[in-house]
C-alpha cells in the first residue's frame, strides 16, 4: 500500500525505533507513547483492520501474539502485566488503517477505557 504510513515504516521510508523484525511482522515504539512502554506490533502484509482478518490471513495474527509474548518478557513487563489493544474503525479510535496491536505497560492502566 503506497500511501499507508505503517507500510512506509515497514519499507523504511519513514524512520522508526524497531524492537523486533522478521519476515512477517515488525514491532516499533509508538511515536506518542501513552505509557512507559508503548510498542506497536504490525503484520508486514497490509491488512486494514480487524474487520479484514479471515481464515486466509489470520496465521500472522497468532504469530503477532507469540512475538508480543517474547517482547513483554524482554521488556520486563510480563510479570506486572500489560495491555494489548487493537482499535478498529472510527468508533474504536483507529487512526492508521493498517492493523496494529498496541502493547501498553509500565504503569497501572485504567479500566474502562474512554
Ligand atoms: P490507532 O489510534 O490505534 O490507530 O494507533 C495509531 C498509533 O500510531 C498511535 O498511537 C500513534 O501515536 C502511532 N503513530 C503514528 N505515527 C507514527 C509513527 N510515525 N511512528 C510510530 N508510531 C506512530
Ligand atoms: Zn499498510
Amino acid at each position: 500500500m503506497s500511501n499507508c504510513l505503517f507500510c512506509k515504516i515497514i519499507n523504511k521510508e519513514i524512520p522508526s525505533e524497531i524492537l523486533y523484525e522478521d519476515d512477517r511482522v515488525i514491532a516499533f515504539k509508538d511515536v506518542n507513547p501513552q505509557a512507559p512502554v508503548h510498542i506497536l506490533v504490525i503484520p508486514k502484509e497490509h491488512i486494514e483492520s480487524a474487520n479484514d482478518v479471515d481464515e486466509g490471513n489470520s496465521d500472522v495474527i497468532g504469530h503477532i501474539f507469540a512475538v508480543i509474548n517474547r517482547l513483554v518478557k524482554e521488556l520486563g513487563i510480563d510479570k506486572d502485566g500489560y495491555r494489548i489493544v487493537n482499535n478498529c474503525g472510527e468508533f474504536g479510535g483507529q487512526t492508521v488503517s493498517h492493523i496494529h496491536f498496541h502493547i501498553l505497560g509500565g504503569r497501572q492502566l485504567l479500566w474502562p477505557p474512554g
Side-chain angles (χ1 to χ4, degrees):
M1 273 284 186
S2 57
N3 211 22
C4 169
L5 177 69
F6 286 173
C7 283
K8 286 180 180 162
I9 284 179
I10 290 161
N11 294 327
K12 315 278 162 61
E13 293 164 35
I14 291 177
S16 67
E17 281 191 68
I18 296 169
L19 277 77
Y20 176 85
E21 180 172 12
D22 64 26
D23 56 328
R24 286 185 289 166
V25 311
I26 188 166
F28 52 97
K29 289 189 182 177
D30 195 294
V31 78
N32 184 21
Q34 302 300 312
V37 174
H38 190 172
I39 311 296
L40 298 173
V41 189
I42 68 175
K44 288 191 169 177
E45 178 186 353
H46 180 89
I47 300 169
E48 268 197 40
S49 80
N51 282 338
D52 302 293
V53 175
D54 58 30
E55 294 299 339
N57 62 15
S58 61
D59 281 4
V60 73
I61 306 299
H63 180 53
I64 281 173
F65 274 74
V67 167
I68 289 173
N69 191 358
R70 176 179 166 158
L71 281 170
V72 295
K73 288 185 170 73
E74 279 174 18
L75 295 163
I77 59 170
D78 56 316
K79 298 239 163 34
D80 284 341
Y82 53 92
R83 189 170 294 165
I84 301 167
V85 174
N86 168 247
N87 295 326
C88 179
E90 187 182 347
F91 277 18
Q94 183 176 6
T95 61
V96 179
S97 296
H98 181 130
I99 195 169
H100 49 281
F101 294 85
H102 300 253
I103 308 172
L104 294 152
R107 68 170 170 85
Q108 179 65 57
L109 299 168
L110 305 177
W111 191 264

